[in-house]
Amino acid sequence: MNKEIPVENPGPLQTFEDNLAKGEFKIQQCKECGQHVFYPRQLCNHCGSSSLKWVEISGRGTVYSTSVVRRKPERGGDYNISLIDLEEGPRMMSRVMDVEPTEVTIGMQVSAHVGLVEEKPAVVFYNKEQGDKEW
Amino acid sequence: MVASIRGSSAVVGVGLTNFHGLPGMNHMEIMAQAVEKAIADAGIHKNEIDGIFSANFVELLTPLTIAEYFGLNPTFMDGTNTGGSVFVNSMQSAAAALHLGLCNVALICYGSNSATGKFTHPPAMRTVEDVYKPRNPISPYALAANRHMHEFGTTKEQLAEVAVSARQWAQLNPAATMRDPLTIEEVVNARMIVDPLGLLDCCLVSDGGAAMIMVRSDRAKDFPKPPVYMLGVGSRTDHNIISAMPDLTVTPAREAAAAAFAMAGVTPADIDVVELYDAFTINTILFLEDMGFCDKGEGGNFVSNGNIAPGGSLPVNTNGGGLSCVHPGMYGMFLMIEAVQQLRGECGDRQVKGAKLAACNGNGGFLASQVTAIFGTEETL
């Protein structure tokens, strides 16, 4: 009996992923304290309020730290893993896509796009302007 | 005002297995070897154990399994899992439970066949980081190392000093897994795994079991070995996934150690021997800074020129650490046992002469759970 239960009120994480699937990168902002919240949560991790709204953000960020996962070429080669500080405050893990993995530097200015990481929708970052933002 | 548990309990028995050559044994069987040794070391019968403290990465309900396996009927159990720090965290729970009379003889224990049985990845909550495929647990530590290098000028050579110092201690420890000579150049030039961490910046993967028996201090002298007293403990955390860590150069060990030192009534300058959870070379530098053995950002300089190696000013990871001695998935147990054995004066060639005070710091998750413990001999009570 694996009857699928229709989701009427998806949780914050599901909402985030549903937005990503539509090509939109939105994060939460607390209506009480005004701070932005990421990853998506039921309560504001700053002030504890449950009054959170989904907002569009600038997509601009700065590389806080970066590393290179070494992987054999036949398994896809090396790739970048960075922590990005969003202009709005929250930090997120991502990949910088348009720079050689070893050439990504701390402090580098990057901008967010909804893309694919190994065929799954994900927010990724580019160092160079990629035209209009994609959400 | 919280009642202090300073000096209220003591370690009266410890047991370690071999760290290699255990193929064909499962984690419970390896643990049982260590428990048998700890029971013999304490001179007790297994039925005296009424407190069980254990967790691992391969099963849930661990304390129940242990009660059943050894035929025990405990009055207090704690199977909290905070990652590799857990046994130092368990020691805090055990000290509190003993102090309150919720149990009288506490067993803290661990066993793993990580090397011969292959490391089993623990079940973890799905997170927003998964899609990027960080190579956990190495990636988070690499990100922390890179940020430390960026902010403070820490170098690959300074990271390598940590690995070389650990190896020099391991060369004095017949039980250690890796005892061949090691140079700074070999560590710096080792194959890169996750930049800036190379193969020799990462701990080994071994088998191993460890067990410890604790009792209240009022009866600690009724056992064959000199008791080692729990003088202070502090436990803190502020994140789980690495993108949620507020500052990658400052771990919760800063607050955990401050609490432990305050309870013990001693300072880092008083400590004779230090055991830190060195899953990666950056850990030792971060924890020396956060615990107050040197200023923030000075860790790279502090570990240089053999300062934490045999003959240096501060003996750190005297068994050879997770980098060269033993690291079976979770290392926290082994920190405390090395501290106890140093304070008993049982460490042979690697013995820190006259050691009376030891500090341990357990690390769990990705620099997330930090638990500091201070142990001392009877004269430090």
Side-chain angles (χ1 to χ4, degrees):
Chain A
M1 292 285 282
N2 283 326
K3 192 175 161 193
E4 198 163 304
I5 300 167
V7 177
E8 289 173 13
N9 286 305
L13 197 56
Q14 185 64 53
T15 301
F16 172 71
E17 291 179 349
D18 290 348
N19 286 337
L20 272 191
K22 289 185 283 187
E24 297 174 352
F25 175 30
K26 290 180 179 172
I27 71 172
Q28 293 168 298
Q29 185 177 18
C30 179
K31 292 192 216 169
E32 296 287 334
C33 74
Q35 296 207 67
H36 289 81
V37 172
F38 188 84
Y39 51 87
R41 288 169 166 92
Q42 198 70 33
L43 302 179
C44 173
N45 59 319
H46 305 288
C47 75
S49 166
S50 59
S51 296
L52 297 168
K53 61 180 177 183
W54 289 97
V55 294
E56 294 204 355
I57 57 171
S58 73
R60 286 190 291 272
T62 306
V63 175
Y64 173 74
S65 194
T66 180
S67 66
V68 184
V69 177
R70 299 291 178 163
R71 187 172 59 178
K72 290 176 182 166
E74 61 269 29
R75 297 183 62 191
D78 300 342
Y79 59 96
N80 174 254
I81 292 281
S82 286
L83 297 178
I84 311 293
D85 284 345
L86 299 174
E87 195 171 65
E88 290 77 8
R91 179 176 300 155
M92 64 182 293
M93 182 176 281
S94 189
R95 295 189 187 185
V96 178
M97 306 297 277
D98 63 336
V99 180
E100 283 298 308
T102 52
E103 301 304 312
V104 179
T105 55
I106 291 173
M108 186 177 268
Q109 300 299 302
V110 290
S111 57
H113 288 261
V114 179
L116 294 174
V117 172
E118 299 181 12
E119 289 158 25
K120 289 189 184 144
V123 177
V124 293
F125 285 81
Y126 289 86
N127 177 227
K128 295 202 174 62
E129 281 298 323
Q130 300 289 307
D132 292 339
K133 64 182 182 181
E134 295 179 2
W135 64 87
Chain B
M1 181 63 195
V2 178
S4 175
I5 52 173
R6 182 190 191 279
S8 64
S9 57
V11 180
V12 297
V14 294
L16 289 174
T17 67
N18 290 338
F19 306 144
H20 34 80
L22 300 168
M25 299 189 72
N26 73 17
H27 71 282
M28 282 301 297
E29 293 161 349
I30 293 172
M31 178 198 290
Q33 282 192 352
V35 171
E36 182 184 12
K37 289 184 180 182
I39 287 171
D41 193 51
I44 62 171
H45 187 274
K46 60 105 177 162
N47 286 352
E48 293 177 62
I49 294 166
D50 58 2
I52 296 176
F53 303 79
S54 191
N56 58 49
F57 282 151
V58 297
E59 63 169 350
L60 300 171
L61 316 185
T62 309
L64 284 59
T65 308
I66 292 170
E68 176 185 271
Y69 196 93
F70 295 104
L72 302 175
N73 186 16
T75 58
F76 193 92
M77 291 177 284
D78 184 351
T80 303
N81 200 331
T82 60
S85 63
V86 61
F87 307 99
V88 194
N89 204 65
S90 299
M91 195 282 297
Q92 180 184 42
S93 304
L98 288 164
H99 180 67
L100 293 171
L102 298 171
C103 64
N104 298 301
V105 178
L107 168 67
I108 310 171
C109 55
Y110 178 66
S112 167
N113 61 349
S114 288
T116 55
K118 298 212 172 128
F119 185 74
T120 309
H121 286 283
M125 193 181 90
R126 200 171 61 88
T127 79
V128 288
E129 293 184 348
D130 296 347
V131 68
Y132 303 106
K133 299 198 172 170
R135 183 164 174 194
N136 292 339
I138 309 172
S139 287
Y141 292 89
L143 289 162
N146 207 16
R147 186 72 200 181
H148 201 276
M149 294 164 114
H150 173 79
E151 286 195 26
F152 305 116
T154 307
T155 65
K156 277 280 288 174
E157 286 73 17
Q158 289 172 333
L159 293 176
E161 292 267 8
V162 172
V164 169
S165 298
R167 181 61 59 88
Q168 289 176 4
W169 283 110
Q171 289 182 295
L172 301 176
N173 180 5
T177 302
M178 297 177 83
R179 304 186 69 207
D180 292 337
L182 184 66
T183 66
I184 301 286
E185 292 69 32
E186 286 172 311
V187 181
V188 169
N189 296 322
R191 178 167 61 90
M192 201 62 89
I193 305 295
V194 180
D195 301 35
L197 300 179
L199 181 65
L200 296 172
D201 288 296
C202 304
C203 68
L204 49 86
V205 177
S206 70
D207 291 340
M212 195 162 105
I213 307 281
M214 291 180 77
V215 300
R216 270 185 301 283
S217 293
D218 56 5
R219 50 185 296 234
K221 290 190 198 169
D222 300 342
F223 300 85
K225 296 288 178 70
V228 169
Y229 294 89
M230 197 293 290
L231 299 179
V233 63
S235 177
R236 293 287 191 282
T237 193
D238 60 12
H239 67 280
N240 187 18
I241 57 177
I242 198 64
S243 54
M245 184 171 178
D247 179 343
L248 263 67
T249 68
V250 182
T251 79
R254 179 177 278 186
E255 296 155 304
F261 280 119
M263 186 188 291
V266 299
T267 70
D270 299 318
I271 298 295
D272 300 307
V273 58
V274 183
E275 308 297 344
L276 305 177
Y277 197 118
D278 59 341
F280 302 93
T281 49
I282 187 63
N283 295 31
T284 302
I285 289 172
L286 286 170
F287 301 150
L288 285 169
E289 293 172 351
D290 291 339
M291 295 171 77
F293 290 101
C294 62
D295 289 340
K296 180 51 68 183
E298 282 299 309
N301 285 328
F302 188 84
V303 301
S304 295
N305 304 311
N307 197 40
I308 63 170
S313 77
L314 184 69
V316 175
N317 295 353
T318 50
N319 58 350
L323 288 166
S324 280
C325 179
V326 54
H327 198 301
M330 290 170 144
Y331 177 66
M333 207 56 229
F334 301 89
L335 301 164
M336 293 191 293
I337 292 187
E338 177 66 11
V340 167
Q341 293 189 318
Q342 284 285 352
L343 297 178
R344 285 176 172 182
E346 293 178 342
C347 289
D349 290 343
R350 70 182 191 283
Q351 178 65 43
V352 175
K353 289 197 176 58
K356 298 181 183 66
L357 280 169
C360 302
N361 189 68
N363 165 67
F366 310 133
L367 295 168
S369 161
Q370 303 296 332
V371 196
T372 302
I374 314 290
F375 293 101
T377 59
E378 187 181 0
E379 68 176 280
T380 65
L381 262 182

Short mmCIF file of all heavy atoms in Angstrom, two decimals, chain B residues 225-250:
data_model
loop_
_atom_site.label_atom_id
_atom_site.label_comp_id
_atom_site.label_asym_id
_atom_site.label_seq_id
_atom_site.Cartn_x
_atom_site.Cartn_y
_atom_site.Cartn_z
N LYS B 225 44.44 0.15 40.47
CA LYS B 225 45.27 1.18 39.82
C LYS B 225 45.04 2.55 40.45
O LYS B 225 43.96 2.82 40.97
CB LYS B 225 44.93 1.23 38.31
CG LYS B 225 45.25 -0.04 37.54
CD LYS B 225 46.75 -0.22 37.34
CE LYS B 225 47.10 -1.51 36.63
NZ LYS B 225 46.72 -1.55 35.22
N PRO B 226 46.04 3.43 40.34
CA PRO B 226 45.84 4.79 40.87
C PRO B 226 44.69 5.48 40.12
O PRO B 226 44.68 5.48 38.89
CB PRO B 226 47.17 5.49 40.59
CG PRO B 226 47.98 4.58 39.76
CD PRO B 226 47.35 3.23 39.74
N PRO B 227 43.72 6.04 40.86
CA PRO B 227 42.60 6.68 40.16
C PRO B 227 43.03 7.95 39.42
O PRO B 227 43.95 8.63 39.86
CB PRO B 227 41.63 7.04 41.29
CG PRO B 227 42.37 6.89 42.56
CD PRO B 227 43.59 6.07 42.32
N VAL B 228 42.36 8.19 38.32
CA VAL B 228 42.57 9.44 37.57
C VAL B 228 41.26 10.22 37.65
O VAL B 228 40.21 9.72 37.22
CB VAL B 228 42.97 9.16 36.11
CG1 VAL B 228 42.91 10.42 35.27
CG2 VAL B 228 44.38 8.56 36.08
N TYR B 229 41.32 11.42 38.23
CA TYR B 229 40.10 12.16 38.57
C TYR B 229 39.63 13.06 37.43
O TYR B 229 40.44 13.68 36.75
CB TYR B 229 40.33 12.99 39.83
CG TYR B 229 40.56 12.11 41.04
CD1 TYR B 229 41.83 11.68 41.38
CD2 TYR B 229 39.49 11.68 41.82
CE1 TYR B 229 42.05 10.84 42.46
CE2 TYR B 229 39.69 10.84 42.91
CZ TYR B 229 40.97 10.43 43.23
OH TYR B 229 41.16 9.59 44.29
N MET B 230 38.30 13.14 37.29
CA MET B 230 37.66 14.06 36.35
C MET B 230 37.57 15.41 37.05
O MET B 230 36.84 15.58 38.00
CB MET B 230 36.27 13.54 35.99
CG MET B 230 35.65 14.13 34.75
SD MET B 230 35.24 15.88 34.84
CE MET B 230 33.86 15.81 35.99
N LEU B 231 38.37 16.37 36.57
CA LEU B 231 38.42 17.68 37.24
C LEU B 231 37.54 18.73 36.57
O LEU B 231 37.10 19.67 37.21
CB LEU B 231 39.87 18.20 37.26
CG LEU B 231 40.89 17.34 38.00
CD1 LEU B 231 42.27 17.98 37.90
CD2 LEU B 231 40.49 17.14 39.45
N GLY B 232 37.33 18.56 35.27
CA GLY B 232 36.53 19.57 34.58
C GLY B 232 36.04 19.04 33.24
O GLY B 232 36.72 18.22 32.61
N VAL B 233 34.88 19.51 32.81
CA VAL B 233 34.36 19.09 31.51
C VAL B 233 33.45 20.20 30.98
O VAL B 233 32.79 20.90 31.74
CB VAL B 233 33.61 17.74 31.61
CG1 VAL B 233 32.38 17.84 32.51
CG2 VAL B 233 33.25 17.19 30.25
N GLY B 234 33.47 20.38 29.66
CA GLY B 234 32.59 21.35 29.01
C GLY B 234 32.21 20.84 27.64
O GLY B 234 33.05 20.28 26.93
N SER B 235 30.95 21.01 27.26
CA SER B 235 30.45 20.50 25.97
C SER B 235 29.69 21.61 25.25
O SER B 235 28.84 22.27 25.85
CB SER B 235 29.52 19.31 26.24
OG SER B 235 28.96 18.83 25.04
N ARG B 236 30.02 21.83 23.98
CA ARG B 236 29.34 22.87 23.21
C ARG B 236 29.17 22.43 21.76
O ARG B 236 29.97 21.66 21.24
CB ARG B 236 30.15 24.17 23.19
CG ARG B 236 30.30 24.88 24.52
CD ARG B 236 29.00 25.55 24.97
NE ARG B 236 29.23 26.42 26.11
CZ ARG B 236 29.40 26.02 27.37
NH1 ARG B 236 29.35 24.72 27.66
NH2 ARG B 236 29.61 26.89 28.33
N THR B 237 28.14 22.99 21.10
CA THR B 237 28.04 22.84 19.65
C THR B 237 27.30 24.04 19.09
O THR B 237 26.55 24.70 19.82
CB THR B 237 27.34 21.53 19.24
OG1 THR B 237 27.54 21.33 17.83
CG2 THR B 237 25.84 21.59 19.50
N ASP B 238 27.50 24.37 17.80
CA ASP B 238 26.69 25.44 17.21
C ASP B 238 26.27 25.16 15.77
O ASP B 238 25.73 26.02 15.11
CB ASP B 238 27.40 26.80 17.32
CG ASP B 238 28.76 26.82 16.62
OD1 ASP B 238 29.06 25.89 15.85
OD2 ASP B 238 29.52 27.79 16.85
N HIS B 239 26.52 23.96 15.27
CA HIS B 239 26.09 23.66 13.90
C HIS B 239 26.19 22.15 13.68
O HIS B 239 26.66 21.41 14.55
CB HIS B 239 26.97 24.39 12.89
CG HIS B 239 28.40 23.90 12.88
ND1 HIS B 239 29.32 24.30 13.82
CD2 HIS B 239 29.05 23.03 12.07
CE1 HIS B 239 30.49 23.70 13.57
NE2 HIS B 239 30.34 22.92 12.53
N ASN B 240 25.75 21.73 12.52
CA ASN B 240 25.97 20.34 12.09
C ASN B 240 26.62 20.36 10.71
O ASN B 240 27.74 19.89 10.56
CB ASN B 240 24.65 19.57 12.12
CG ASN B 240 24.86 18.09 11.85
OD1 ASN B 240 25.97 17.58 11.96
ND2 ASN B 240 23.80 17.39 11.49
N ILE B 241 25.93 20.91 9.70
CA ILE B 241 26.57 21.00 8.38
C ILE B 241 27.54 22.19 8.37
O ILE B 241 27.36 23.16 9.09
CB ILE B 241 25.53 21.11 7.24
CG1 ILE B 241 24.61 22.31 7.43
CG2 ILE B 241 24.76 19.82 7.12
CD1 ILE B 241 23.61 22.49 6.29
N ILE B 242 28.56 22.09 7.53
CA ILE B 242 29.66 23.08 7.60
C ILE B 242 29.21 24.47 7.17
O ILE B 242 29.74 25.48 7.66
CB ILE B 242 30.89 22.59 6.78
CG1 ILE B 242 32.15 23.36 7.20
CG2 ILE B 242 30.66 22.68 5.29
CD1 ILE B 242 32.59 23.15 8.63
N SER B 243 28.22 24.57 6.26
CA SER B 243 27.78 25.90 5.83
C SER B 243 27.04 26.63 6.94
O SER B 243 26.80 27.84 6.84
CB SER B 243 26.92 25.81 4.57
OG SER B 243 25.84 24.92 4.75
N ALA B 244 26.68 25.94 8.02
CA ALA B 244 26.01 26.57 9.15
C ALA B 244 26.98 26.95 10.26
O ALA B 244 26.57 27.49 11.28
CB ALA B 244 24.91 25.65 9.69
N MET B 245 28.28 26.68 10.07
CA MET B 245 29.27 27.05 11.10
C MET B 245 29.54 28.54 11.00
O MET B 245 29.91 29.04 9.93
CB MET B 245 30.56 26.25 10.88
CG MET B 245 31.61 26.48 11.95
SD MET B 245 32.99 25.31 11.75
CE MET B 245 34.07 25.85 13.07
N PRO B 246 29.36 29.27 12.10
CA PRO B 246 29.44 30.74 12.01
C PRO B 246 30.80 31.24 11.53
O PRO B 246 30.88 32.14 10.71
CB PRO B 246 29.16 31.20 13.44
CG PRO B 246 28.38 30.08 14.06
CD PRO B 246 28.91 28.83 13.43
N ASP B 247 31.90 30.70 12.05
CA ASP B 247 33.24 31.16 11.69
C ASP B 247 34.12 29.91 11.59
O ASP B 247 34.34 29.23 12.59
CB ASP B 247 33.76 32.12 12.78
CG ASP B 247 35.17 32.63 12.49
OD1 ASP B 247 35.89 32.04 11.65
OD2 ASP B 247 35.56 33.63 13.12
N LEU B 248 34.59 29.61 10.39
CA LEU B 248 35.32 28.35 10.18
C LEU B 248 36.69 28.33 10.86
O LEU B 248 37.35 27.30 10.89
CB LEU B 248 35.48 28.04 8.68
CG LEU B 248 34.42 27.07 8.15
CD1 LEU B 248 33.05 27.70 8.18
CD2 LEU B 248 34.78 26.56 6.76
N THR B 249 37.10 29.46 11.43
CA THR B 249 38.40 29.47 12.12
C THR B 249 38.25 29.40 13.64
O THR B 249 39.25 29.39 14.34
CB THR B 249 39.21 30.73 11.77
OG1 THR B 249 38.56 31.88 12.32
CG2 THR B 249 39.36 30.90 10.27
N VAL B 250 37.01 29.38 14.12
CA VAL B 250 36.77 29.32 15.57
C VAL B 250 35.74 28.22 15.85
O VAL B 250 34.61 28.30 15.40
CB VAL B 250 36.24 30.65 16.13
CG1 VAL B 250 36.05 30.54 17.64
CG2 VAL B 250 37.18 31.79 15.80
#
